[in-house]
Amino acid sequence: MKKRNKKLLLVSIIFLVLAVICLIVGYTIAGVDILAWFSSKYARLFYAVISLWGIIVLSIILGDKIRSI
């Protein structure tokens, strides 16, 4: 994997973690039950988007590994 792609992947992961932290903190400040949110329809949409992102990232990583063989 190129150095630029590694940096992009690292920044994406950091951004994702910060987004989840901000989401949890925001819901806590608003007084919403966080545990109930994790099973809501919006959480399922969030899980689907994150899963799609993960599949894309894995395909890029595996594609680079296969090309280097």
Side-chain angles (χ1 to χ4, degrees):
M1 187 181 317
K2 294 181 181 179
K3 190 174 185 177
R4 179 177 165 218
N5 289 345
K6 287 181 184 179
K7 287 181 181 179
L8 179 65
L9 183 62
L10 181 63
V11 169
S12 297
I13 291 171
I14 291 170
F15 181 74
L16 177 67
V17 169
L18 288 175
V20 170
I21 289 170
C22 288
L23 184 71
I24 291 172
V25 168
Y27 267 87
T28 303
I29 291 171
V32 177
D33 183 19
I34 296 172
L35 295 177
W37 181 84
F38 284 110
S39 61
S40 71
K41 67 179 181 178
Y42 296 111
R44 291 185 190 122
L45 176 64
F46 182 74
Y47 302 149
V49 169
I50 295 303
S51 299
L52 180 63
W53 177 80
I55 290 169
I56 291 170
V57 168
L58 283 176
S59 67
I60 292 170
I61 292 171
L62 291 176
D64 285 346
K65 295 256 187 218
I66 290 171
R67 277 187 232 133
S68 68
I69 292 177

